Amino acid sequence: PRPDVHPLPPGTHLLYAQSGRIEHVPLEGYEMKKDAGKALLHLPEKVIIGVAYDCVEKMVYWTEITSPSISKASIDGGEPTTVIRSDLDSPEGIAIDHLGRTMFWTDSVKDHIEVASLDGSQRRVIIDSDLVNPRAIVTDPPNGNLYWADWNREAPKIETSHMDGSNRRTQAHINWSARILATADRRKVIEGLQYPFGVTSFGKNIYYTDWRRDAVVAVDRHAGKESDMYQPQKRTKIYGIAIAYAQCPAGQNYCAVN
Amino acid sequence: DATSGSSSDCQPCPCPASATCAVVPKTREVVCTNCPTGTTGKRCELCDDGFFGDPLGQSGPVRACRACKCSDNIDPNAVGNCNRETGECLKCIYNTDGFFCDRCKDGFYGNALAAAVGDKCKPCSCSPLGTLGSQVSCSQVTGQCECLSNVAERDCSACQPGFFNLQSGDGCERCNCNPIGSTN
């Protein structure tokens, strides 16, 4: 069978979902090498929402809402494999704990957050109350924490918990009209955002996808301003975004040693 | 392949007007790269998320991709608002339901198509004591719950005049007051 994935060259890449494709843009330092942007894989019959990267096995994971599922593929080439296909309604954000070898995702119809091993086994709902429109989710593997966003129009918020769902706390209540980008400790990075969908960070930069400009926007978190923007030729909404690290960030956590 | 030296080296893109195309180097497969707004797919044969139709007429007449038609009862911030082919609405809000989010969902009543959100769908809130079989749904239009015998009000929360004992859960009983000693 022909490989569906166009292998990525070595180095660090931005991965983002757009219109049934996962595309990549190489990063040279923190610069997006826009001319080298290409499709990693093309699944035109799918609507891919969330993207995550496992730096250990060099796999990209994604959520898909047309026939709701979670799949993975090696960035070195090969065919996609579906790891979860049952009991999903609208899986959106996905995040990986590369140390604990687990994945977390939000479902905006079931209104809950689940965890499973990277092969799809040992599924468990960890948060199932007070969620209206859960979407983005990120892991903090060295500290064993989760963060997620709920864009509930009435009361948008960012919450955090341990990776088993315990110690749940509200990190921030969001004002819809504020349009700011801030860090978890509530430090404002920039204001005047247009329509952010997905966000990821790498070193000094934060990269987010923008539904108004159909673009990937780079923000220098120290300078507090947009430093670059990449608009793919195809002008449609860009969904999830993730960094494919050349090497795993250092660190270990409780789950990794148990 | 412009280098093979025949008159058919370059062929027109198998894509709708104005869309460009490219050949995948490894597989020689031709893929449209710039499908018209709202369309996607290798041949621009599918609708993008948030649109529905059948742009090449693969399963019936040609239907250009149009934005989901859900009676203004979806949130543009949501993903997967409608089925990409049929247009069936999948993420109705304001307690609406139906193919076009055009009716109230079970347990709610009112006018799903009302302009103001507050006028759309309100909860039936049927009184569990006065409602037949403890149903939670009511008439879509009037909101009338299905009451037990001799029970009144839209939400079946009171006995009809001259009846008592809603608490029984079996409907209300006649008061049986002595007409001589009663004021009504």
Side-chain angles (χ1 to χ4, degrees), chain B residues 1-123:
Chain B
D1 180 1
T3 62
S4 73
S6 79
S7 59
S8 60
D9 279 3
C10 294
Q11 294 170 20
C13 285
C15 306
S18 79
T20 49
C21 64
V23 180
V24 180
K26 276 198 192 111
T27 59
R28 317 276 305 150
E29 188 179 26
V30 179
V31 175
C32 303
T33 51
N34 218 346
C35 296
T37 305
T39 68
T40 185
K42 288 179 178 165
R43 294 279 187 279
C44 308
E45 77 280 18
L46 296 165
C47 296
D48 260 327
D49 184 35
F51 294 81
F52 73 101
D54 185 3
L56 298 190
Q58 290 182 318
S59 53
V62 169
R63 289 175 294 129
C65 295
R66 290 188 299 163
C68 297
K69 271 179 64 179
C70 301
S71 315
D72 287 332
N73 289 331
I74 48 172
D75 192 310
N77 199 43
V79 297
N81 269 322
C82 69
N83 180 297
R84 293 202 282 171
E85 200 187 327
T86 66
E88 179 178 7
C89 298
L90 304 173
K91 295 244 173 123
C92 302
I93 55 173
Y94 308 131
N95 301 312
T96 64
D97 203 350
F99 200 94
F100 299 108
C101 304
D102 51 346
R103 61 176 182 81
C104 293
K105 71 178 182 187
D106 262 6
F108 291 80
Y109 73 101
N111 178 9
L113 306 179
V117 171
D119 299 339
K120 286 180 188 281
C121 299
K122 297 178 271 287

Side-chain angles (χ1 to χ4, degrees), chain A residues 200-233:
Chain A
T200 188
S201 76
F202 181 61
K204 73 178 178 76
N205 273 5
I206 295 169
Y207 301 87
Y208 75 91
T209 59
D210 183 356
W211 271 16
R212 186 85 68 227
R213 290 175 284 183
D214 297 328
V216 176
V217 182
V219 175
D220 182 318
R221 74 166 93 200
H222 302 305
K225 62 177 192 207
E226 287 186 7
S227 55
D228 201 2
M229 179 176 83
Y230 172 53
Q231 278 183 313
Q233 187 198 9

Side-chain angles (χ1 to χ4, degrees), chain A:
Chain A
R2 77 184 168 82
D4 286 297
V5 177
H6 310 299
L8 293 191
T12 298
H13 302 261
L14 275 175
L15 305 176
Y16 63 86
Q18 183 187 34
S19 202
R21 290 169 209 250
I22 295 178
E23 303 263 340
H24 77 95
V25 188
L27 290 179
E28 200 170 72
Y30 300 104
E31 294 281 306
M32 296 187 279
K33 289 179 73 183
K34 301 174 197 174
D35 297 342
K38 277 202 192 85
L40 172 68
L41 64 117
H42 190 195
L43 305 166
E45 68 281 12
K46 310 288 190 193
V47 174
I48 298 169
I49 306 295
V51 181
Y53 180 68
D54 171 29
C55 55
V56 175
E57 296 187 79
K58 299 193 183 298
M59 289 271 188
V60 57
Y61 287 73
W62 64 90
T63 60
E64 192 276 307
I65 56 169
T66 306
S67 48
S69 57
I70 295 173
S71 306
K72 66 175 180 180
S74 165
I75 62 158
D76 292 329
E79 280 183 70
T81 318
T82 298
V83 285
I84 295 191
R85 64 177 81 245
S86 64
D87 294 313
L88 297 171
D89 281 335
S90 188
E92 297 195 8
I94 182 167
I96 284 171
D97 170 12
H98 70 278
L99 300 175
R101 312 308 296 150
T102 54
M103 59 183 166
F104 300 83
W105 68 92
T106 58
D107 189 310
S108 71
V109 170
K110 292 187 179 296
D111 290 335
H112 69 204
I113 296 174
E114 276 193 80
V115 62
S117 296
L118 290 177
D119 61 3
S121 67
Q122 301 189 51
R123 270 177 82 170
R124 195 159 73 84
V125 175
I126 53 166
I127 302 282
D128 67 351
S129 61
D130 296 320
L131 295 175
V132 176
N133 292 114
R135 178 167 286 163
I137 185 163
V138 295
T139 55
D140 172 12
N143 297 307
N145 289 327
L146 277 182
Y147 296 85
W148 66 90
D150 182 335
W151 60 267
N152 173 18
R153 293 264 179 202
E154 261 96 74
K157 61 185 174 180
I158 293 170
E159 292 187 280
T160 181
S161 77
H162 292 159
M163 284 186 175
D164 60 358
S166 66
N167 197 27
R168 179 179 180 183
R169 288 154 293 148
T170 300
Q171 189 79 23
H173 295 283
I174 312 293
N175 179 347
W176 258 105
S177 54
R179 302 191 178 283
I180 62 164
L181 175 64
T183 54
D185 55 5
R186 297 193 187 82
R187 267 199 301 234
K188 185 159 73 181
V189 178
I190 58 166
E191 52 195 340
L193 295 192
Q194 296 195 26
Y195 200 145
F197 186 94
V199 63
T200 188
S201 76
F202 181 61
K204 73 178 178 76
N205 273 5
I206 295 169
Y207 301 87
Y208 75 91
T209 59
D210 183 356
W211 271 16
R212 186 85 68 227
R213 290 175 284 183
D214 297 328
V216 176
V217 182
V219 175
D220 182 318
R221 74 166 93 200
H222 302 305
K225 62 177 192 207
E226 287 186 7
S227 55
D228 201 2
M229 179 176 83
Y230 172 53
Q231 278 183 313
Q233 187 198 9
K234 173 134 178 104
R235 299 296 300 276
T236 62
K237 287 173 181 167
I238 303 178
Y239 294 85
I241 185 165
I243 300 278
Y245 300 96
Q247 268 137 19
C248 281
Q252 64 168 246
N253 71 4
Y254 181 83
C255 298
V257 293
N258 269 271

